[in-house]
Amino acid sequence: MKKNVLLMLLLAFGYPAMTQASDYISHSNIHYYEPSINQADAYIRERAVLDIYCPKDKKPLATLIWFHGGGLFGGNKTIPEGFKSQGLCIVAANYRL
């Protein structure tokens, strides 16, 4: 039974992502925080970035802002495959740990 449920989930979320990937555009490592000259910190420049994954020609557009898990101690920004090709704009943010 568990195998059937897993197979159904993979087909429901995996197949549309594979067939519609070309209808999306993505931008990676966009800085959302610029420290002042006195506070220039390589760690902040590395961690304070986000990725955007959006349909090319869809308006109006619902947007999902995704923060990775990790309990503020670990992790990196990712866009879960289950959200891709759902007609959403997805913003995945990294943050300081």
Side-chain angles (χ1 to χ4, degrees), residues 24-74:
Y24 285 75
I25 189 166
S26 64
H27 302 280
S28 297
N29 297 321
I30 300 169
H31 292 272
Y32 63 83
Y33 176 78
E34 289 294 330
S36 69
I37 300 297
N38 297 332
Q39 296 176 334
D41 184 350
Y43 181 72
I44 292 174
R45 285 192 303 274
E46 173 193 338
R47 297 296 301 182
V49 294
L50 53 87
D51 293 349
I52 300 175
Y53 181 84
C54 290
K56 284 184 180 177
D57 298 317
K58 184 177 177 188
K59 307 251 191 288
L61 189 60
T63 302
L64 172 73
I65 300 173
W66 182 258
F67 293 95
H68 65 81
L72 300 175
F73 294 101

Side-chain angles (χ1 to χ4, degrees), residues 7-24 53 81-87:
L7 179 61
M8 290 172 53
L9 288 173
L10 287 173
L11 288 175
F13 289 108
Y15 181 71
M18 291 185 294
T19 58
Q20 297 180 359
S22 63
D23 297 331
Y24 285 75
Y53 181 84
E81 292 296 322
F83 292 142
K84 292 182 177 180
S85 73
Q86 297 294 320

